[in-house]
Amino acid sequence: DRALADNLDIAAAVARIDQADAQAKISSAALFPLVTMNDSTQRSRSPGTASTQLPQKQDDGTRRFNGSYRSVNTLGLNASYELDFWGKNRDTSSAARLQAEATRYDRDVIQISTVASLANSYFAVLGAQDRLRIARDNVRIASDVLAAIKARVAVGTASELDLAQQESVLATQRASIPTLEQTVAQTRNLIAVLVGQAPELIDIKGGSLTSLR
């Protein structure tokens, strides 16, 4: 559920669906009439001398020319329609809608792949933890055997060759542990990415493959 909700690849796929839907709407616009509207407003002042040759008497008794203001508002509405005689616009619109539908299948594929990757990664963690436990048990057993051989060498019932061979076995067993620990850590980080979380913010306890039902 967290992967489906927060995975970044799925989020990108959803965004591509929105983009394809918007492009489909744009491509379908040519099938409908185009309506445009233009409006403008102008305000002009005419001098007083344009309407009379004598100055007008003012309230304070003086005489002067009075200008006038005029506002002109213009509103225009245009409509046009392109006859799709050869079906070009219709085909373009259909192609865009099909592309939008294809992006939905792409999202479904990404969702299925994400869930499958998440399950496989979790199984890998469980398997690596099982192998890690076995490797640590092998190291413990090899250490016990080495201690026994050392005791036998001390009393003369085992040779230095037996001791060297067991030391080699123990070193080999110990060398396998870091690789398994790295596998567990890397797979946990992959799971964190799949669920859209930073690796340090997620806790994956894991367990064992034998516990699965």
Side-chain angles (χ1 to χ4, degrees):
D1 291 338
R2 291 178 62 181
L4 293 176
D6 299 331
N7 181 269
L8 299 181
D9 291 333
I10 295 177
V14 172
R16 287 193 291 271
I17 290 177
D18 294 337
Q19 181 182 15
D21 287 343
Q23 186 60 46
K25 293 179 181 179
I26 294 174
S27 300
S28 300
L31 300 175
F32 301 95
L34 175 64
V35 178
T36 59
M37 184 178 68
N38 300 314
D39 63 279
S40 64
T41 299
Q42 294 181 347
R43 185 173 175 82
S44 60
R45 183 179 185 275
S46 299
T49 54
S51 58
T52 179
Q53 296 181 353
L54 298 175
Q56 302 296 317
K57 185 177 181 180
Q58 306 299 315
D59 295 338
D60 58 2
T62 61
R63 290 181 176 273
R64 64 172 179 268
F65 291 98
N66 294 327
S68 61
Y69 291 90
R70 183 178 62 175
S71 296
V72 179
N73 299 317
T74 303
L75 178 64
L77 187 65
N78 299 318
S80 62
Y81 180 71
E82 177 185 358
L83 291 177
D84 193 18
F85 186 76
W86 300 107
K88 175 179 70 69
N89 295 335
R90 184 173 62 256
D91 292 342
T92 301
S93 175
S94 177
R97 289 196 303 271
L98 291 175
Q99 180 62 38
E101 186 67 20
T103 58
R104 285 168 168 78
Y105 287 107
D106 291 339
R107 178 201 57 192
D108 294 341
V109 170
I110 293 175
Q111 286 180 337
I112 293 173
S113 299
T114 298
V115 173
S117 298
L118 182 61
N120 289 333
S121 298
Y122 186 67
F123 294 150
V125 167
L126 298 181
Q129 288 178 331
D130 284 338
R131 293 194 301 271
L132 186 58
R133 279 190 292 270
I134 294 173
R136 287 170 176 167
D137 288 341
N138 290 337
V139 169
R140 178 181 55 80
I141 295 171
S143 298
D144 293 341
V145 172
L146 179 61
I149 292 177
K150 286 182 178 180
R152 291 176 58 193
V153 169
V155 297
T157 58
S159 65
E160 292 292 335
L161 178 60
D162 296 330
L163 179 63
Q165 289 177 339
Q166 187 58 31
E167 288 176 344
S168 176
V169 170
L170 178 59
T172 300
Q173 296 293 345
R174 285 174 174 170
S176 65
I177 291 179
T179 301
L180 292 172
E181 290 176 338
Q182 184 179 15
T183 299
V184 171
Q186 289 177 341
T187 311
R188 283 178 172 173
N189 291 342
L190 176 58
I191 291 176
V193 172
L194 289 173
V195 299
Q197 298 291 327
E200 61 272 14
L201 299 180
I202 191 170
D203 181 24
I204 303 172
K205 295 179 181 180
S208 174
L209 285 171
T210 58
S211 64
L212 295 180
R213 300 181 182 273

